[in-house]
């Protein structure tokens, strides 16, 4: 039996998979793949516009070795006071709305899919601290040639100082989605390892530092080689995963969000 039980279906079939995310949270499955959230032509149009930054998205970067940048700001990389994060949020939200308006809006094309495969639960951006706007619901990520993300568990990010406020609003494990907008020529794939957090979390913390880590060759793995317009949802808080280095001149563009249940029990919060 594979270590990564996955359910795959088309966006048109989402009504028949209304328990997919409750099964994922219960660890009955570990990944969900939804094809055709956007068509190939829609994805191509979106990428053309974001390559030119036609909507004037605010831009931030990964640390230089990762050769990648964001439209929006990754909460993991934000200063703990979150001043810059929430200053950027309105502009990002306006740009995302403009980008997605010809396609029905981000809420109807992406968030509605998440709600439909989770029994109708609400999927929204978390409210910000008093006086602040909501969090950014996602980020758009560009991985250039050589760009990658090292192996990690997403639950670990919630120990960062920038999560102090959000941690008061959410509970349970983090899970996440990656919506592919353009594939790299080679590499740039989300790869998941048979290394559950219960056994391996402490061994992989801060892999970007010099401390020796376990050899990844020792673990079974699964790479998601998906077409543009495909959404992959992963139990990423407890499953070791990384993005393999991009090869070739074509950038890997994705929309990515982290998610967790709200403490109030009224839905699921999504953030970039």
């Amino acid at each position: 039996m594979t270590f990564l039980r996955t359910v795959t279906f088309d966006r048109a079939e989402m009504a028949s998979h209304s328990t997919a995310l409750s099964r994922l949270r219960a660890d009955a499955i570990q990944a969900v793949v939804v094809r055709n959230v956007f068509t190939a032509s829609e994805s191509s149009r979106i990428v053309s516009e974001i390559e030119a930054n036609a909507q004037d998205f605010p831009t931030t970067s990964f640390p230089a070795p990762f050769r990648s940048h964001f439209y929006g700001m990754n909460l993991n990389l934000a200063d703990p006071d979150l001043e810059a994060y929430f200053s950027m949020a309105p502009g990002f939200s306006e740009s995302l709305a403009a980008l997605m308006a010809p396609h029905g809006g981000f809420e109807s094309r992406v968030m509605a899919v998440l709600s439909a495969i989770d029994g109708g639960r609400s999927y929204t951006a978390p409210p910000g601290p008093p006086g602040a706007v909501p969090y950014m619901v996602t980020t758009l990520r560009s991985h250039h040639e050589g760009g990658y993300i090292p192996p990690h568990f997403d639950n670990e990010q919630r120990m960062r100082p920038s999560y102090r406020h959000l941690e008061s609003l959410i509970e349970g494990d983090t899970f996440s989605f990656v919506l592919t907008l353009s594939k790299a020529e080679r590499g740039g794939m989300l790869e998941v390892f048979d290394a559950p957090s219960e056994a391996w979390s402490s061994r992989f913390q801060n892999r970007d530092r010099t401390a020796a880590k376990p050899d990844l060759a020792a673990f079974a793995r699964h790479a998601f080689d998906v077409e543009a317009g495909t959404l992959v949802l992963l139990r990423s808080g407890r499953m070791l995963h990384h993005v393999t280095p991009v090869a070739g001149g074509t950038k890997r563009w994705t929309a990515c969000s982290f998610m967790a249940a709200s403490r109030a029990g009224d839905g699921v919060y999504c953030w970039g």
Side-chain angles (χ1 to χ4, degrees):
M1 179 182 294
T2 178
F3 74 93
L4 190 75
R5 295 182 295 272
T6 303
V7 172
T8 302
F9 53 89
D10 195 88
R11 178 174 177 263
E13 303 170 309
M14 61 185 181
S16 300
H17 295 274
S18 62
T19 63
L21 291 186
S22 63
R23 294 174 64 203
L24 184 139
R25 283 192 298 273
D27 202 28
I29 56 177
Q30 292 78 44
V32 177
V33 178
V34 187
R35 299 181 300 249
N36 292 311
V37 173
F38 292 97
T39 65
S41 61
E42 287 175 323
S43 298
S44 179
R45 177 178 173 181
I46 290 168
V47 169
S48 293
E49 296 203 4
I50 56 180
E51 284 277 4
N53 199 5
Q55 288 76 27
D56 195 27
F57 278 96
T59 304
T60 55
S61 295
F62 272 107
F66 300 155
R67 298 184 57 77
S68 309
H69 74 273
F70 298 97
Y71 287 163
M73 185 181 295
N74 188 314
L75 186 61
N76 301 349
L77 304 176
D79 288 337
D81 64 14
L82 298 182
E83 181 177 352
Y85 181 95
F86 285 112
S87 294
M88 183 179 288
F92 174 81
S93 297
E94 290 172 8
S95 296
L96 182 65
L99 175 69
M100 292 295 174
H103 311 288
F106 190 78
E107 289 75 16
S108 65
R109 292 301 294 270
V110 179
M111 307 299 275
V113 171
L114 304 178
S115 179
I117 62 176
D118 199 7
R121 297 180 83 187
S122 170
Y123 276 72
T124 61
V133 298
Y135 285 79
M136 291 178 241
V137 72
T138 193
T139 55
L140 302 180
R141 302 184 179 191
S142 175
H143 294 270
H144 306 232
E145 186 168 16
Y148 72 102
I149 299 176
H152 63 287
F153 298 94
D154 283 346
N155 279 348
E156 294 172 0
Q157 67 196 22
R158 288 164 56 176
M159 297 184 287
R160 297 174 185 261
S162 57
Y163 272 74
R164 287 192 191 110
H165 173 259
L166 181 57
E167 190 63 22
S168 71
L169 304 178
I170 58 177
E171 63 183 4
D173 291 326
T174 300
F175 58 111
S176 62
F177 75 71
V178 177
L179 171 61
T180 296
L181 299 172
S182 66
K183 296 174 61 174
E185 293 173 25
R186 300 179 304 281
M189 288 186 288
L190 172 65
E191 197 167 56
V192 184
F193 298 92
D194 187 12
S197 61
E198 294 86 350
W200 294 101
S201 179
S202 64
R203 300 288 305 277
F204 279 94
Q205 287 182 8
N206 300 315
R207 188 177 171 85
D208 52 325
R209 297 184 181 176
T210 57
K213 303 296 179 183
D215 184 357
L216 293 174
F219 300 101
R221 67 186 68 196
H222 176 85
F224 287 96
D225 186 11
V226 300
E227 298 304 315
T230 300
L231 185 76
V232 176
L233 295 118
L234 181 67
R235 201 167 181 261
S236 57
R238 291 183 176 269
M239 303 200 73
L240 184 69
H241 60 286
H242 72 171
V243 173
T244 63
V246 166
T250 301
K251 297 184 181 71
R252 174 191 188 256
W253 279 101
T254 59
C256 303
S257 294
F258 305 106
M259 299 172 281
S262 71
R263 289 182 183 266
D266 55 356
V268 176
Y269 287 142
C270 309
W271 66 94

